[in-house]
């Protein structure tokens, strides 16, 4: 059973400057809650019980958000603001623990995942990159389906979606003989980090959701620097794929790249119109704009 998820949150968020100069990009709000909460809840909905943040000294507000805040709770209680009190104390179910390890140097995503090695031990685990929000219509989300598939096949699962050909150089790209149907997995032939346009093996891009066996940590230890002069998770997955089957899982949901400003605005629109309390009024506002 997969109960642990690594969320690498040490990145400085240069794509989200100037906001990320003084607040972690993961704490920028999508409607009324920080982007990171959506990602943590996606993991929890898939059955994850331990969230491992791989973080940086400048990002303590992420840990604070998932911790109790005694002063605030006492103030709300004294003022009898019980609805708000409930809201801030029930962000995550009680059985979920959030722990953190530091990434002491910005050596890449593969290095960030490796920083959680001792917390992972011998268990398989999930990785969720917090820039990307994944929105699913079903309660059984894409990550839950990947975990289920991993438990059946014992093969690592890499979530992918099709991207336009001219954007392949921004992503990890998988090589598959046949494109899997949405919601299905297929064994991959290879995976490459940010290929130049025209050289990519497909247009199926790595979304930022992975289910990986513990042995990926040993492979990461011997992974040399790759694209961008960083230790790439993609390269360790390519090494794993030479040892055993690794599967590409084609997602069903919708992605929002909150690491980019336009992706972030799109996320605010989509999550805003579906917000249980604000949605109707927000939709009306959008209609009033008559652009
Ligand atoms: C990372 C991964 C890449 C993946 C992407 C998804 O790249 O290395 O394989 O496609 O996330 O967002 P980054 O965006 O950190 O450069």
């Amino acid at each position: 059973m997969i109960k642990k998820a690594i969320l690498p949150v040490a990145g400085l968020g240069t794509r989200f400057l100037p906001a990320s100069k003084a607040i972690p990009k993961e704490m920028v709000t999508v409607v009324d809650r920080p982007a990171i909460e959506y990602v943590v809840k996606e993991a929890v909905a898939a059955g994850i019980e331990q969230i491992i943040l791989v973080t940086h000294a400048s990002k303590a507000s992420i840990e604070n958000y998932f911790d109790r805040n005694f002063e605030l709770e006492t103030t709300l209680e004294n003022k009898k603001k019980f609805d708000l009190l409930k809201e801030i104390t029930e962000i995550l179910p009680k059985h979920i623990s959030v722990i953190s390890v530091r990434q002491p140097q910005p050596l890449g995503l593969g290095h960030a995942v490796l920083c959680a090695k001792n917390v992972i031990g011998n268990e398989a685990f999930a990785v969720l990159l917090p820039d990307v929000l994944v929105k699913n219509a079903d309660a059984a989300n894409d990550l839950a389906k990947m975990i289920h598939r991993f438990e059946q096949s014992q093969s690592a699962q890499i979530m992918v979606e099709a991207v336009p050909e001219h954007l392949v150089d921004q992503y990890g790209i998988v090589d598959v003989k046949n494109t899997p149907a949405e919601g299905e997995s297929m064994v991959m032939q290879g995976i490459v980090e940010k290929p130049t346009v025209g050289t990519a093996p497909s247009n199926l891009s790595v979304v930022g959701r992975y289910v990986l066996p513990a042995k990926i940590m040993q492979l990461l230890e011997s992974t040399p620097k790759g694209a961008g002069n960083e230790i790439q998770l993609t390269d360790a997955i390519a090494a794993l794929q030479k040892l055993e089957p690794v599967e590409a899982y084609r997602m069903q949901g919708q992605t929002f790249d909150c690491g980019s400003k336009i992706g972030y605005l799109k996320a605010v629109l989509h999550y805003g119109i579906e917000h249980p309390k604000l949605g109707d009024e927000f939709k009306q506002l959008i209609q009033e704009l008559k652009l």
Side-chain angles (χ1 to χ4, degrees):
M1 295 294 275
I2 293 180
K3 295 290 169 203
K4 295 179 179 178
I6 299 175
L7 277 65
V9 295
L12 295 180
T14 43
R15 286 196 298 161
F16 222 90
L17 285 167
S20 53
K21 182 182 172 198
I23 42 166
K25 63 182 163 125
E26 295 83 1
M27 290 303 292
V28 174
T29 51
V30 175
V31 193
D32 59 351
R33 48 204 66 236
I36 188 79
E37 185 181 326
Y38 294 85
V39 182
V40 170
K41 284 192 166 152
E42 176 195 341
V44 170
I48 296 297
E49 294 182 355
Q50 187 173 57
I51 303 290
I52 304 156
L53 302 170
V54 180
T55 189
H56 178 267
S58 65
K59 298 207 155 186
S61 59
I62 302 177
E63 289 151 288
N64 294 344
Y65 185 74
F66 293 108
D67 197 359
R68 301 286 294 264
N69 181 331
F70 180 73
E71 196 180 344
L72 179 60
E73 287 173 29
T74 311
T75 309
L76 291 174
E77 206 170 343
N78 290 342
K79 293 190 170 173
K80 303 206 181 324
K81 297 198 170 181
F82 297 115
D83 284 355
L84 281 177
L85 181 64
K86 189 169 152 58
E87 194 151 2
I88 64 152
T89 51
E90 293 180 9
I91 290 171
L92 295 178
K94 297 263 178 295
H95 69 285
I96 306 301
S97 60
V98 179
I99 64 164
S100 54
V101 294
R102 290 282 180 93
Q103 185 182 19
Q105 286 172 286
L107 299 181
L109 174 60
H111 176 255
V113 170
L114 187 56
C115 289
K117 180 175 182 256
N118 291 340
V119 189
I120 292 297
N122 288 324
E123 291 173 45
F125 59 97
V127 176
L128 294 89
L129 306 190
D131 278 356
V132 180
L133 303 190
V134 173
K135 193 160 166 293
N136 279 107
D138 296 342
N141 63 23
D142 280 310
L143 185 64
K145 289 181 186 155
M146 288 167 76
I147 289 175
H148 184 63
R149 174 76 188 171
F150 178 89
E151 285 166 355
Q152 286 175 332
S153 68
Q154 294 300 306
S155 299
Q157 302 290 314
I158 316 298
M159 195 191 286
V160 297
E161 71 171 344
V163 287
E165 304 280 350
H166 70 279
L167 296 179
V168 291
D169 59 355
Q170 297 182 13
Y171 301 96
I173 300 289
V174 298
D175 185 0
V176 279
K177 278 209 181 100
N178 298 302
T179 301
E182 288 182 8
E184 303 281 332
S185 295
M186 286 263 181
V187 173
M188 61 168 77
Q189 265 61 52
I191 182 168
V192 52
E193 182 68 11
K194 303 194 173 88
T196 46
V197 174
T199 67
S202 76
N203 71 337
L204 292 177
S205 73
V206 174
V207 169
R209 302 293 184 269
Y210 312 78
V211 178
L212 299 168
K215 69 166 81 81
I216 197 83
M217 294 295 188
Q218 278 80 54
L219 295 169
L220 278 168
E221 277 171 331
S222 56
T223 299
K225 286 182 178 171
N229 205 26
E230 293 185 337
I231 298 170
Q232 296 291 349
L233 182 57
T234 298
D235 293 342
I237 294 167
L240 179 68
Q241 184 263 325
K242 292 199 174 81
L243 302 175
E244 61 184 48
V246 172
E247 296 183 342
Y249 167 86
R250 181 139 170 242
M251 66 180 305
Q252 295 177 304
Q254 198 178 0
T255 54
F256 300 96
D257 178 11
C258 282
S260 88
K261 292 174 186 176
I262 202 75
Y264 164 75
L265 290 175
K266 197 171 160 192
V268 171
L269 279 178
H270 280 253
Y271 286 93
I273 58 176
E274 286 185 15
H275 190 281
K277 288 188 186 144
L278 306 169
D280 289 342
E281 218 175 317
F282 188 54
K283 263 187 245 167
Q284 211 177 319
L285 277 177
I286 295 169
Q287 274 153 10
E288 278 166 25
L289 280 176
K290 288 199 185 106
L291 296 174

